[in-house]
């Protein structure tokens, strides 16, 4: 009798990732506290100095970053009272070979594990690291529930990247049905610990809709976030851009100002969390001068090797190839 089992390396990976043992293990245990939690693998101290130093100038509570085993980086984090974490093991096996989604997807399995290990967390900010700077306490005003933040004033249909991955993850009909909705950025999400943990698992499950090479690809996390919120699969409030979080990647530079060391929104206000400021060279230079002037600034761009180019072509072909489901 033929097997009717679903053939998906993503689902095999996800099953193993969600089955990881979860138990309380943290250096912070006294009372309920808020937590800033991010993934910073692949970076060194210079890459995250703006994030760490600006955050510590406004917020003294727990901060934890998943980082590589880099002694200098970990010493820098310890100096600023930031907990350095090893990435939770979420590696899967497919056809006898190790397989994992893109890190922007697999990080949500790690977030889920880390949040469950920290029952003392009241609210958490799950955030990108390299391109985030803080201008105030991220937890002021008080958090009332899950918060999502639009990354631009225009709806989803105005952003080709988001529509591309919405179509890839959920198909044309779902994508078009949400085209007028706000374009939510998954790079900064805040809320109560248990709700965030459920959100992480939902993001991962929605990635199982398409073929594995799409559900585990860069951009699938963003599409799954917009699906989860706009389809009402999880409760949360969507805030306009330039609220608690200002995401600047799609904001024209002439609408922004830099006054007395502060990045100002188009209306003259200042958000406590600023994301994607590095898309504006003048803001990047100003933030570097203020927070990382003692660090060596390097261009992170590098030419791709032949192997990397070949792998990118191979992945593109696999995304277009029928997967047995």
């Amino acid at each position: 009798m033929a097997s009717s089992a679903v053939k998906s390396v993503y689902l095999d990976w996800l099953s193993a990732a969600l089955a990881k043992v979860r138990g309380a293990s943290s250096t912070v245990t006294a009372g309920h506290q808020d937590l800033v939690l991010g993934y910073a693998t692949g970076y060194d101290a210079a890459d995250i100095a703006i994030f760490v130093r600006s955050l510590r100038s406004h917020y003294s509570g727990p901060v934890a970053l998943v980082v590589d085993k880099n002694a200098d980086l970990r010493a820098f984090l310890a100096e600023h009272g930031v907990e350095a974490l090893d990435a939770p093991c979420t590696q899967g096996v497919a056809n006898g070979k190790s397989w994992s989604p893109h890190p922007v997807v697999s990080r949500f399995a790690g977030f889920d594990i880390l949040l469950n290990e920290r029952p003392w967390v009241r609210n958490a900010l799950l955030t990108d690291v390299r391109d985030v700077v803080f201008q105030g306490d991220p937890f002021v005003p008080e958090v009332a529930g899950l918060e999502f933040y639009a990354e631009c004033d225009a709806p989803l249909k105005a952003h080709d990247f988001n529509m591309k991955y919405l179509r890839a993850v959920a198909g044309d009909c779902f994508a078009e049905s949400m085209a007028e909705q706000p374009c939510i950025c998954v790079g900064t999400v805040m809320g109560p610990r248990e709700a965030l943990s459920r959100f992480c698992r939902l993001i991962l499950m929605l990635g199982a809709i398409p073929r594995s090479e799409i559900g585990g690809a860069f951009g699938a996390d963003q599409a799954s976030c917009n699906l989860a919120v706009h389809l009402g699969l999880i409760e949360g409030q969507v805030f306009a851009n330039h609220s608690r979080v200002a995401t600047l990647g799609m904001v024209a530079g002439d609408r922004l100002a830099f006054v007395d060391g502060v990045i100002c929104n188009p209306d003259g206000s200042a958000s406590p969390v600023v994301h994607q400021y590095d898309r504006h060279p003048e803001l990047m230079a100003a933030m570097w001068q203020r927070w990382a002037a003692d660090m060596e600034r390097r261009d992170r761009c590098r030419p791709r090797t032949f192997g990397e180019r070949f792998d990118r072509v191979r992945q593109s072909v696999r995304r277009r190839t029928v997967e047995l489901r």
Side-chain angles (χ1 to χ4, degrees):
M1 182 176 181
S3 171
S4 59
V6 173
K7 305 296 184 183
S8 166
V9 293
Y10 179 88
L11 284 174
D12 290 346
W13 168 83
L14 180 57
S15 175
L18 295 184
K20 296 295 182 183
V21 175
R22 291 159 168 77
S25 63
S26 173
T27 57
V28 180
T29 58
H32 284 82
Q33 301 181 58
D34 297 325
L35 171 70
V36 174
L37 180 60
Y39 261 64
T41 53
Y43 300 142
D44 59 23
D47 297 315
I48 66 172
I50 295 173
F51 178 98
V52 170
R53 288 173 171 170
S54 65
L55 176 58
R56 277 301 182 222
S57 73
H58 299 287
Y59 169 76
S60 60
V63 182
L65 297 179
V66 175
V67 295
D68 299 327
K69 295 184 182 299
N70 178 317
D72 291 339
L73 169 60
R74 293 192 172 219
F76 173 79
L77 294 179
E79 178 186 346
H80 291 84
V82 175
E83 185 180 5
L85 303 174
D86 296 327
C89 181
T90 58
Q91 192 83 0
V93 177
N95 300 321
K97 298 181 180 179
S98 63
W99 187 93
S100 287
H102 192 282
V104 299
V105 175
S106 63
R107 63 177 168 167
F108 285 96
F111 282 148
D112 179 39
I113 292 171
L114 295 169
L115 287 170
N116 277 276
E117 287 178 347
R118 290 158 173 78
W120 50 265
V121 172
R122 177 174 48 206
N123 296 299
L125 169 63
L126 305 185
T127 180
D128 290 351
V129 175
R130 182 190 55 79
D131 58 356
V132 170
V133 64
F134 294 88
Q135 304 188 137
D137 187 328
F139 297 99
V140 176
E142 186 176 347
V143 182
L146 276 182
E147 294 186 6
F148 303 95
Y149 310 101
E151 63 176 293
C152 59
D153 297 330
L156 278 163
K157 68 179 182 181
H159 198 276
D160 291 341
F161 171 86
N162 279 286
M163 292 301 291
K164 169 187 174 181
Y165 276 95
L166 273 172
R167 292 189 175 98
V169 169
D172 290 340
C173 292
F174 271 122
E176 291 305 321
S177 73
M178 291 185 290
E180 298 291 343
Q181 296 293 333
C183 181
I184 298 171
C185 181
V186 77
T188 51
V189 180
M190 179 179 285
R193 180 184 66 88
E194 292 183 354
L196 278 176
S197 187
R198 288 194 297 272
F199 169 72
C200 290
R201 295 194 295 272
L202 179 57
I203 290 292
L204 295 169
M205 289 305 301
L206 287 171
I209 296 174
R211 296 184 296 275
S212 300
E213 294 299 323
I214 294 174
F218 179 84
D221 59 326
Q222 182 83 354
S224 295
C225 175
N226 279 277
L227 283 166
V229 176
H230 295 317
L231 293 178
L233 302 180
I234 194 163
E235 293 185 3
Q237 184 173 355
V238 180
F239 289 84
N241 198 12
H242 310 297
S243 53
R244 187 191 301 271
V245 175
T247 301
L248 307 184
M250 297 177 65
V251 180
D254 59 8
R255 298 184 62 210
L256 303 168
F258 185 66
V259 181
D260 296 330
V262 175
I263 298 171
C264 296
N265 297 321
D267 65 357
S269 65
S271 297
V273 183
V274 180
H275 185 204
Q276 297 179 356
Y277 65 90
D278 63 332
R279 274 58 162 184
H280 302 273
E282 66 283 0
L283 295 181
M284 179 64 191
M287 293 298 97
W288 189 273
Q289 181 62 35
R290 180 172 183 186
W291 299 113
D294 60 328
M295 298 279 189
E296 178 186 358
R297 186 175 177 182
R298 300 179 305 280
D299 187 352
R300 293 185 57 84
C301 297
R302 62 179 178 84
R304 289 191 176 91
T305 65
F306 173 79
E308 290 171 331
R309 292 196 297 269
F310 177 79
D311 188 59
R312 188 171 184 178
V313 172
R314 180 182 62 83
Q315 291 177 3
S316 178
V317 171
R318 290 179 66 181
R319 284 198 298 270
R320 292 162 174 79
T321 302
V322 175
E323 178 186 47
L324 298 177
R325 302 295 297 259

